[in-house]
Amino acid sequence: EDKVVQSPLSLVVHEGDTVTLNCSYEVTNFRSLLWYKQEKKAPTFLFMLTSSGIEKKSGRLSSILDKKELFSILNITATQTGDSAVYLCAVLGADGLTFGKGTHLIIQP
Amino acid sequence: EAGVAQSPRYKIIEKRQSVAFWCNPISGHATLYWYQQILGQGPKLLIQFQNNGVVDDSQLPKDRFSAERLKGVDSTLKIQPAKLEDSAVYLCAGGGLLDTQYFGPGTRLTVL
C-alpha cells in the first residue's frame, strides 16, 4: 500500500518568514509527486515533480524532489497571510494518487 | 476553459437515506476521479474512470457506493444507504496533461 507522510502537520509563522514543508513517501512504481494548496474549497494544483534535483519555482514557492531518499520539500519565502492554507502532497504510483494528511500552515500578520 | 463542475455543493441527509452527486469534468479530460475527503485528512480515491470504463475502484465500498460515467463525460456517485461515517467532502477531479488533476469545488455531505 502506497504511503505519503507530511510534516509538520501544522505550522504557525509570522508574515515574512520562510517555511519548508516536508513530504516523504513509499510508493510502488513511482510516476510523479504533486503539491496542492487547499483553502476552504477543493485543492488547487501547485507543482508536479518527476525528476530528482530539478527545482520547480513559481513566484515565492519552490519545490524539489529527491527520488533516492524518497522525499520532497515545498518552500515558501516571504510568506503572506494569503499563504495560509493546507498544503497537500500526493504521489502517483501503482495505487493511483495517494494523498498525505496535509500541513496546515497559518501565517500571522 | 471552464472548470470542473459539481453539484450539489452541500447536502444534509439522515442516515439510511440515499444521495447522489454529479460531476462534469473539463472538456477533453478522459480521466475522471472521485475522492472522499474526511475532515482533517487528505483526499482518498474512491474510483477512477478512463472514458466510461472503470480503471480502479478498489477503495470504493461497493456495498453502499456506486458510480457511473455512461457517456464518458459527466459522472454520478451514489451512496445508498448512507452512514454517519460517510460525512465528508466528495471531490471530483479530471485528469489533464502529465498526470495533473484538476478538482471541482466538491460536495459537502453531512449525514445526521
Side-chain angles (χ1 to χ4, degrees), chain A residues 14-45:
Chain A
H14 288 102
E15 239 182 341
D17 288 351
T18 294
V19 297
T20 298
L21 310 183
N22 304 293
C23 175
S24 63
Y25 61 90
E26 296 175 23
V27 63
T28 305
N29 295 331
F30 174 90
R31 285 166 56 180
S32 58
L33 184 145
L34 300 97
W35 284 98
Y36 289 88
K37 178 181 181 182
Q38 185 171 30
E39 297 167 273
K40 290 183 180 178
K41 49 189 176 183
T44 54
F45 172 77

Side-chain angles (χ1 to χ4, degrees), chain A residues 8-13 19-21 103-107:
Chain A
L9 291 181
S10 64
L11 184 59
V12 181
V13 300
V19 297
T20 298
L21 310 183
T103 293
H104 189 185
L105 177 64
I106 297 173
I107 310 297

